Amino acid sequence: QVQLVESGGGSVQAGGSLRLSCAHSGSTFSDDSMGWFRQAPGKEREFVAAIAWAGGATRYADSLKGRITISRDNTQNMIYLQMNSLKPEDTAVYYCAAGVPWRFSFNDSRYKYWGRGTQVTVSS
């Protein structure tokens, strides 16, 4: 029933910024968390950030903290990932995910629902 659709990806020069969006439907997610993950070619899926839908608590990957901000808009059923100071190593497909208790929101295997992803390419 739950559907997630990412948007906002694209190509950007190193040092640039992008804001990714994820529209969700089918659930209020009032008790669960949502997150962003990414996967580069030949690499494992990597945790990026998560947010608790109800309370708004956030967590970030240490390697990205300070350059990214996850946020939500309850009225529009959207979550966002603002990415600044982008680096070539940020190049990946970025996925929105939902349906996980907060304590497991760093763990991709615990999420129930996934979007199809949006490509982010950062050139040097």
Side-chain angles (χ1 to χ4, degrees), residues 14-96:
S17 299
L18 286 173
R19 190 177 78 155
L20 308 183
S21 300
C22 176
H24 62 90
S25 63
S27 176
T28 62
F29 298 105
S30 60
D31 296 325
D32 286 343
S33 300
M34 299 182 67
W36 290 96
F37 291 79
R38 67 184 185 183
Q39 188 167 25
K43 293 188 175 182
E44 296 290 316
R45 189 163 54 194
E46 178 186 17
F47 172 75
V48 175
I51 186 166
W53 186 252
T58 59
R59 70 202 317 171
Y60 299 95
D62 289 341
S63 62
L64 294 167
K65 196 170 185 178
R67 298 195 293 119
I68 60 171
T69 303
I70 188 170
S71 60
R72 75 195 197 282
D73 186 330
N74 300 67
T75 302
Q76 297 183 350
N77 284 343
M78 301 282 289
I79 66 166
Y80 305 95
L81 183 70
Q82 177 68 43
M83 301 189 292
N84 302 318
S85 301
L86 285 164
K87 305 174 181 179
E89 53 261 45
D90 295 321
T91 296
V93 176
Y94 284 70
Y95 297 93
C96 178

